[in-house]
Amino acid sequence: MTKVLILGNNPLPFEKTNYLWALGLRTWQLTKPLLDDGHEVCLVCLRVPQAFAVQELEPLIKKERPFLYYSLDFTTFTDPQIIHHIVEEFDPDCLVATNLLPCYQAARLKDKKPFWADLHGHAMAEAQAKAAVDKDDQFLYNYWNQERHVIDKGDVFSCVSTPQLYAVIGELGARGRLNQYTNGYNFVHVIFEAIPETPLAYNRAALRGTEVARDDFVVLWSGGYNTWADVDTLFRALEGAMKTNPKIKFLSTGGEIKGQDEVTYFHFLDLIRNSSCSANFIMKGWLPIEEARSYYLEADVGINIDQDIYEVKLGSKMRVMEWLGAGLPILSTRVCESIQILEREGVCFTFRPGDAAGLQDQIIWMANHREKVRQQGESGREFACHNLSYARTTEPLRAWVNNPYLAPDQGQRIGFEKERDSHISHLEDVLRDKDRLIHNKDPEIKQMKSVIGLRDKELEEARSRIRELEATLDRYHRTLPYRIYALLRRVRARRNP
């Protein structure tokens, strides 16, 4: 048995909250298998305050059953002394952290424990997408400052896709971690997003016969409208499909993401308000988790629509895992690796990013072929249960926690800082040699300057003489004899052409 301290985010899936939050779901995906394996776990979570029904919570909440669990507000979580005290008190054999800020806090700890960093999405690609929405690059350095500390301190890393794996390897190289000591060392593993462990409970008829007719075709969106969401294409496709088939309805259980993207959702709402099909859009906003999940069981298809950007290409889709676990058919852009895998397995409907006409046709087709759509949802759930469970996806982490170890270059690597100092020293020597060379050439340089000065003086004297001659000639042209002479020449020229 290993003592494991995990840094992550809540809300966790079993907590009564108003949000389905991908960061909390990822935290539980890594925690639950370690608890099932019998390890002693201390879980320390950064709290998302707006997710909880009770807003005025204590800065630090500690629970000791069935495992040691801390829920901290932002100020408390980002206080290195408090995190250090929790670590010192628990005295773990290793650290596991997921999501950027918890990984950064783990990297800042002074006591060196074997450290597994789960980079849940590529930070710089997410920063790029946020900068594009905000039209402001001010956050880029903050993201990189956290990411580079994690890259410098982690002993082993995980990510959500194969493309992100190679991006992390690139960052490791840029920070000097691909060195003589780590040649052949397996730094990075892929841990795909997983489907929820707990089966969905159908609590009540939330939709059919109340807000939509029983034979309506319901397209579901759940979760936040983040920087990657292409709501313009989504709106054009839905409006076109609704005009063709008024039985098509759109149901949204989600909204803006405070502090991350507070633009995209409200832009989508503006599009809907000005539409002749606005009554077909049912915008619920954020709902308690269990209520939101009830809609999975009444919708006909879950839709995910991405921009074709790096954040999506390197990332994954937690909401799709939720839908898979519920047996809800999936319609998604074909951008991220997880969707491409589901498409190859024949358990996901896809369309090209930015293709509103293609998406419109796809929705209309699905509304007319409901049984085929339903069967694909069942196939998707069966595939996910076998391949995307918590235990299956976290096999690399579980193996490492059984025997945690430091990276081979910890305490050994020179790092680019010392190499930089060496390069600076070399450049200083080169500059000194250049100064000596210039000093030795001083007599020749002075002689050349003297010659150049003499030539400049001669040229200036010649220019001055030319100016004098030009002035004399100009005065002569103005005299009476020259004017008479010039007139006679013109008369002679006319007579003898």
Side-chain angles (χ1 to χ4, degrees), residues 247-258:
K247 301 299 290 183
I248 295 171
K249 303 293 174 62
F250 178 77
L251 171 69
S252 171
T253 63
E256 81 281 8
I257 304 175
K258 293 183 178 179

Side-chain angles (χ1 to χ4, degrees), residues 78-125:
T78 54
D79 186 332
Q81 293 184 344
I82 292 176
I83 299 297
H84 174 76
H85 176 74
I86 293 173
V87 172
E88 190 174 49
E89 187 177 73
F90 183 68
D91 191 24
D93 300 309
C94 65
L95 300 175
V96 175
T98 181
N99 310 318
L100 181 58
L101 185 54
C103 285
Y104 174 62
Q105 291 302 102
R108 295 173 71 192
L109 291 170
K110 295 180 181 179
D111 295 338
K112 185 57 189 170
K113 304 280 186 179
F115 170 30
W116 179 295
D118 179 61
L119 298 172
H120 184 216
H122 191 262
M124 298 316 299

Side-chain angles (χ1 to χ4, degrees), residues 32 53 127 130 149 214 245 255-256 268 302 308 333 336 352 379 443 469 474 481:
K32 178 68 160 48
K130 178 173 173 57
H149 274 88
R214 296 193 180 279
N245 182 354
E256 81 281 8
F268 189 43
D308 190 9
T333 37
C336 71
R352 292 182 291 109
S379 298
L469 290 172
D474 182 60

